[in-house]
Amino acid sequence: MILSVLSSLALVSGLMVVRAKNPVHSVLFPIPVFRNTSGLLLLLGLDFFAMIFPVVHIGAIAVSFLFVVMMFHIQIAEIHEEVLRYLPVSGIIGLIFWWEMFFILDNENIPLLPTQRNTTSLRYMVYAGKVRSWTNLETLGNLLYTYYSVWFLVPSLILLVAMIGAIVLTMHRTTKVKRQDVFRRNAIDSRRTIMRGMTDLLKESSLILVRIQFVRWPSWSYRCLDTLLFFSHFRMTVPFHFWYNFKPGPAIRCISRTPGIRRLLLEYHGIEYPDLPEAPEKAISAFRTVKGNSYVPHRSESPPPHNTY
Amino acid sequence: MFLLYEYDIFWAFLIISSLIPILVFFISGFLAPSSKGPEKLSSYESGIEPIGDAWLQFRIRYYMFALVFVVFDVETVFLYPWAMSFDVLGVSVFVEALIFVLILIVGLVYAWRKRALEWS
């Protein structure tokens, strides 16, 4: 009884797919078709496929059909004219389908048919299969990935091609996020986009971090931190250091304990910090050779005393 | 209940969860007052007369998400039987599934870099 209910509903819904006036209805009618087919698969004992059918067919295929219908703004009134125009070709295809049905049906299924395709009348029961056997999922797993492994890998290629093809066909520039094209920007205005060295870094850095420390850590840890911060352009530091805020001028806090960098940073921002250790010559001379540099280090002051921290 | 006895709880859940929304709709349709009229059946456009067509322009990014969803949904479906049986099947099956996933990761990277996954 369930078989006849499910199959008849599937057939009627399938018919309504082609006969519905509204194209959206015509896309929604496959959903009962898929659900009833899923029920039919359950009757066959294929529980995995019965569960996967709604997921794949309704969730993916019917949704894709719905998108197609949504894309074309179809006026309902104009498609229902001249239905008979399609009769010759559709009639031929329908007849071919009807002819193919006779390869499957025979007198056993529908007693009124004149055909008798299957002439063996001996049917025997395979009792070994009636014992608790593998589930549908396990069977599929045991076969698909071992004997039919090529058939398993080919769908991945098909899916890849489908995805790339659809993206190639449908992506166009209007879906692009507004972003700058970096190469174009560099080609046009490279002075402002490419950093040339520490001068640019200094010009851009509005914050230099200073700390007063009461505990001296090993030197290598400071250098690591310097490097890390330098390359990461961070303006904040780890919280176990104290801050000291200089006013007037921009808020300057210098994390770097490397004498050269600190001195340069502070001098660049015009802060007189008398107890800086002596800046190494190398760092300052590296500055002077950069083209377009407007930085001139202070050379007039006396060497500052060595600080005790 | 009728067949596939391992799925008993599933059928019970399915039937109850199908019945409850139907019940809710019927009760609400039964108990709520309704007054029909031509005004109620017309479409609403913030109080003014509806101007123009009700169909908006189709935005392609909805389709991109549905497309990527389809592909990866089918990939997941292929991986369900594998998940159930790869422990008895050996290393070669694992490597095969890895190749399968890697091919589809190539597709994902392509979709990502081509900005098919952006919502803008």
Side-chain angles (χ1 to χ4, degrees), chain A residues 42 47 73 145 176-177, chain B residues 7 11 53 78 96 115 118:
Chain A
L42 271 177
D47 50 348
H73 191 177
Y145 307 102
K176 210 167 85 160
V177 182
Chain B
Y7 280 86
W11 299 135
D53 219 346
F78 269 104
E96 265 174 36
R115 306 200 191 111
E118 282 181 4

Side-chain angles (χ1 to χ4, degrees), chain B residues 56-90:
Chain B
L56 297 172
Q57 169 152 43
F58 181 74
R59 294 160 70 182
I60 202 85
R61 60 194 67 98
Y62 295 120
Y63 175 69
M64 303 313 300
F65 280 94
L67 168 83
V68 176
F69 167 73
V70 166
V71 173
F72 288 103
D73 200 25
V74 176
E75 169 182 356
T76 309
V77 162
F78 269 104
L79 286 178
Y80 280 136
W82 176 80
M84 287 297 295
S85 60
F86 79 102
D87 49 351
V88 301
L89 288 174

